[in-house]
Amino acid sequence: MEILVTGILLGGTYALIALGLTLQYGVARIMNLATGETLVAACFITFWLFASYQVSPLWGLVLVAPAAFAINWAIYMWLLKPLVDRAKNQGMLEVDSILATFGLLFLFQGLMLRGFGGAYFTYTYLAERFEIFGSPYALNRVVAFLAALLIAAALYLFLYRTRSGTAVRAVAVNPNSSNLVGIDVAATAALAFALGGALTACGGTLLSTFYTFNASMGVVFTLKALIIVIMGGVGDVRGATLAALILGITETAVASLIDPGLMLAATYALFMLVLLFRPQGIFGKQPT
Amino acid sequence: MTRFLPDEFRIPAIGAGVIVLAALLPLFDDGFYLAMAVNIVLYAALCTAWALFSGPTHYISLATAAFFGLGTYAVALGNELLPFPLLVALGAAIAAVLAGFVGAATLRISGVYFVIFTLGLAELVRQIVSWAQVKWSTRMGLYVFTDFTEAHIYWMLLALTAAVFLTGWLINRSRLGFAMQIIGNDEAVARHCGIDTARLKIILFMISGAFIGMAGAIVAPRYLYVAPPSAFNPTISFLVVIMALLGGTRWLWGPLVGVIPFTIVMEFVSANFPNDTSIVIGIVFLVIVYVLPDGVTGRLEQLLARMRRTSTASKAATVKEAA
């Protein structure tokens, strides 16, 4: 039971990171391998705001999310849009975007190493006991989970209840047909990419309240996010949320029952199962 | 395999000459330049082996560090039990098995899954090796004591590089190479021609992985002390991708054009600005994507084609004027 609760609490933060990536890859068609660096950057900014100006991480969200939105929008318009325009097919765009975001990954990582060094960082925020079903949990994890839940709910309302949200989902299904029904595909893709970056940054801010982070851990989170996205089905918001919870529970179970050093092996085992049995995602339809 | 034509041997003959010349280097220097030459030859072997698979398929493999580390570990574990050549073969075999496994799991579906899977592969193998080491033995690292000097390692790596080039040359003129060319141009067409695309890709990935494993095995004596974090260092995978793409993968010798300058630059950067290597790597990645999408050799090819076009055009113009 404890494993289940801890896993679900962790999965909430994973879900935000993966939702960000699924928007970027599913709608904007950019495989963003620098997503982990966006996350780590948000961790550092939250830390810096908290340590220097005593800004609580929850208020930090209000600053971090719009900043990440603007930066990701600029990255898409200046760096990635030219690649989208020059690509002759989906395969070429994939190779180009993978290489370009590798470049960003190393660049951001290098800049953060310069700014903060390679040490591990952590800070104390809401480190109190909180009881669920009679067992104690850290309050910061519960708060992070609730905040993640609220943000995910807001995203769901946006995607399923507004016009621009519907446009985003339409582009995810088929960009060419969306163009035919009068959707500005380029603008929608930029919006989705920026929104995805903002969600990932929110995930980072929440993660930093209970997790020890350092400048070079981004790749591990990129990998987790990618695996969640594939498990849930590319561009599928509900699938990504469910897959994030499954991953959170599996990792917690392996870490507490077998060995914490094998967390990535657990992630990979899940990935293998998905590739072998449901490469189209949990809710995905069998391609005909 | 088709029949050999006499003029096909010109390029391999030049290559053999270059390798013989390179083999003389340890006679002149056994310090700084030899150490740098070992790095260059090591990355030449790794990048060319990488490009054997990733060149024609355009799949970016980040599994290099995993294969390399397995080769290193094969030597570190078996050093006192088996003769060295056997261990190198063993390293190649283990890497090939892993490559076959990864290929079978991902290459049947699509390229993206392959990239993602290889992205964390080195870290995965590292975690499993560390876990197994803690569980079954008390030591974290292994000592590798051999009688090999830097020059011996250099010669072995040079021989390996020659073998990679020879294999690449033989593949290019075989049915496998022809099939890979079709797959690289249009996979749907290849499938309609009756090519079993997944099987060929897996075979090629295994060949490439085996060579990388061998390279890891050969340099193991250079490390003296082998521990999981150093043997499965993921930076190797990225460096190999950068150097190969910087040179260009259209030709067998393309990666070499990237390896030589980049190894020297990295040596300089890591000696003078050790904290900024990631920034340099990041910038070079961006340069490749935006400025040199086909690598240096691809850009040269374009320039040559343009010069030829302008020279024929001016010739045509003078002919017209004379008339």
Side-chain angles (χ1 to χ4, degrees):
Chain A
M1 192 66 211
E2 269 184 58
I3 292 172
L4 212 60
V5 176
T6 316
I8 290 174
L9 292 182
L10 184 64
T13 317
Y14 283 178
L16 276 193
I17 305 164
L19 287 177
L21 191 68
T22 207
L23 279 181
Q24 295 188 325
Y25 184 50
V27 182
R29 314 274 173 204
I30 298 287
M31 175 61 98
N32 184 3
L33 295 176
T35 192
E37 270 55 42
T38 312
L39 171 93
V40 178
C43 286
F44 273 115
I45 291 171
T46 314
F47 169 77
W48 174 67
L49 285 173
F50 184 73
S52 321
Y53 302 101
Q54 285 80 48
V55 179
S56 123
L58 291 180
W59 283 111
L61 275 180
V62 180
L63 290 172
V64 168
F69 186 90
I71 293 171
N72 276 277
W73 193 80
I75 288 177
Y76 184 81
M77 285 321 248
W78 284 336
L79 286 176
L80 301 172
K81 188 95 194 319
L83 298 181
V84 176
D85 293 339
R86 93 174 180 203
K88 292 195 194 79
N89 54 45
Q90 181 63 25
M92 265 183 75
L93 177 61
E94 246 154 34
V95 173
D96 275 349
S97 62
I98 284 170
L99 292 176
T101 50
F102 267 145
L104 294 177
L105 184 168
F106 279 103
L107 199 61
F108 290 154
Q109 197 185 66
L111 291 175
M112 284 190 286
L113 278 173
R114 272 221 118 177
F116 295 93
Y120 280 88
F121 283 82
T122 183
Y123 59 94
T124 318
Y125 173 71
L126 292 182
E128 294 153 34
R129 268 169 68 101
F130 186 82
E131 282 195 10
I132 305 173
F133 302 119
S135 343
Y137 299 95
L139 181 60
N140 47 27
R141 284 183 183 248
V142 179
V143 169
F145 176 75
L146 291 177
L149 211 61
L150 273 179
I151 295 169
L155 176 75
Y156 191 84
L157 283 180
F158 167 72
L159 287 179
Y160 286 85
R161 289 281 178 273
T162 65
R163 276 182 74 88
S164 32
T166 312
V168 168
R169 283 188 298 132
V171 175
V173 176
N174 189 331
N176 292 336
S177 316
S178 316
N179 210 359
L180 287 180
V181 296
I183 294 170
D184 185 347
V185 175
T188 310
L191 172 74
F193 191 86
L195 199 61
L199 283 172
T200 308
C202 288
T205 299
L206 295 176
L207 188 76
S208 72
T209 59
F210 62 86
Y211 200 90
T212 314
F213 51 93
N214 81 344
S216 43
M217 72 167 193
V219 181
V220 177
F221 278 88
T222 306
L223 196 68
K224 283 179 187 171
L226 286 169
I227 289 172
I228 294 170
V229 167
I230 288 167
M231 234 160 92
V234 175
D236 185 339
V237 174
R238 292 166 308 157
T241 314
L242 182 64
L245 295 180
I246 294 177
L247 186 73
I249 294 168
T250 313
E251 276 191 353
T252 317
V254 169
S256 52
L257 298 178
I258 307 174
D259 189 313
L262 285 180
M263 249 159 76
L264 192 73
T267 317
Y268 258 85
L270 266 184
F271 190 28
M272 287 292 297
L273 289 177
V274 171
L275 284 183
L276 291 177
F277 297 109
R278 287 203 75 83
Q280 73 277 26
I282 299 173
F283 294 124
K285 292 186 189 75
Q286 203 80 42
T288 44
Chain B
M1 193 147 301
T2 44
R3 214 154 39 82
F4 287 97
L5 298 169
D7 59 334
E8 267 187 291
F9 285 101
R10 208 174 60 216
I11 293 171
I14 297 172
V18 171
I19 283 173
V20 168
L21 276 182
L24 297 178
L25 180 95
L27 303 180
F28 300 103
D29 184 87
D30 56 358
F32 176 75
Y33 290 104
L34 182 62
M36 191 180 260
V38 169
N39 273 337
I40 290 178
V41 178
L42 170 63
Y43 277 105
L46 291 177
C47 294
T48 315
W50 181 86
L52 282 184
F53 172 75
S54 297
T57 56
H58 304 296
Y59 287 172
I60 295 164
S61 160
L62 293 167
T64 312
F67 300 148
F68 185 85
L70 282 175
T72 311
Y73 251 83
V75 171
L77 280 174
N79 194 30
E80 269 134 44
L81 308 170
L82 295 168
F84 189 73
L86 210 62
L87 290 174
V88 174
L90 193 67
I94 297 172
V97 168
L98 180 67
F101 187 69
V102 173
T106 56
L107 288 176
R108 293 180 182 282
I109 314 167
S110 117
V112 183
Y113 298 96
F114 175 76
V115 181
I116 299 169
F117 201 92
T118 58
L119 175 64
L121 191 67
E123 178 65 17
L124 171 74
V125 178
R126 186 190 69 77
Q127 280 197 356
I128 293 175
V129 168
S130 321
W131 178 72
Q133 249 180 346
V134 171
K135 207 164 163 119
W136 285 300
S137 106
T138 46
R139 294 171 304 164
M140 256 327 265
L142 296 156
Y143 289 96
V144 189
F145 292 124
T146 53
D147 302 327
F148 295 122
T149 62
E150 192 92 334
H152 290 130
I153 294 171
Y154 175 74
W155 282 319
M156 283 192 281
L157 284 173
L158 207 57
L160 180 70
T161 311
V164 175
F165 269 94
L166 188 67
T167 311
W169 183 69
L170 288 174
I171 287 176
N172 278 348
R173 56 187 312 294
S174 70
R175 287 172 65 93
L176 175 61
F178 188 45
M180 287 320 291
Q181 228 173 2
I182 302 173
I183 294 174
N185 286 336
D186 194 327
E187 186 152 351
V189 171
R191 242 178 280 129
H192 283 290
C193 295
I195 297 171
D196 186 349
T197 52
R199 199 173 64 96
L200 291 190
K201 279 189 264 183
I202 295 171
I203 291 175
L204 204 60
F205 190 48
M206 288 174 73
I207 296 175
S208 155
F211 278 121
I212 296 170
M214 276 191 194
I218 291 174
V219 287
R222 204 180 180 215
Y223 294 136
L224 296 178
Y225 180 76
V226 175
S230 63
F232 297 100
N233 178 4
T235 318
I236 297 176
S237 308
F238 289 102
L239 285 178
V240 165
V241 174
I242 284 195
M243 293 186 202
L245 291 179
L246 185 65
T249 54
R250 296 267 281 281
W251 281 304
L252 193 55
W253 49 271
L256 203 59
V257 178
V259 167
I260 297 172
F262 198 80
T263 316
I264 297 169
V265 168
M266 277 315 272
E267 194 99 345
F268 174 77
V269 170
S270 56
N272 295 300
F273 310 100
N275 298 323
D276 294 333
T277 44
S278 347
I279 296 185
V280 174
I281 294 178
I283 290 171
V284 177
F285 258 122
L286 293 175
V287 166
I288 290 174
V289 176
Y290 293 100
V291 187
L292 295 166
D294 292 316
V296 174
T297 52
R299 180 42 61 92
L300 284 178
E301 195 179 20
Q302 270 177 10
L303 287 179
L304 276 180
R306 197 177 302 160
M307 264 157 56
R308 220 168 284 151
R309 225 177 302 131
T310 44
S311 72
T312 44
S314 59
K315 227 176 266 168
T318 43
V319 169
K320 215 180 240 171
E321 265 168 38

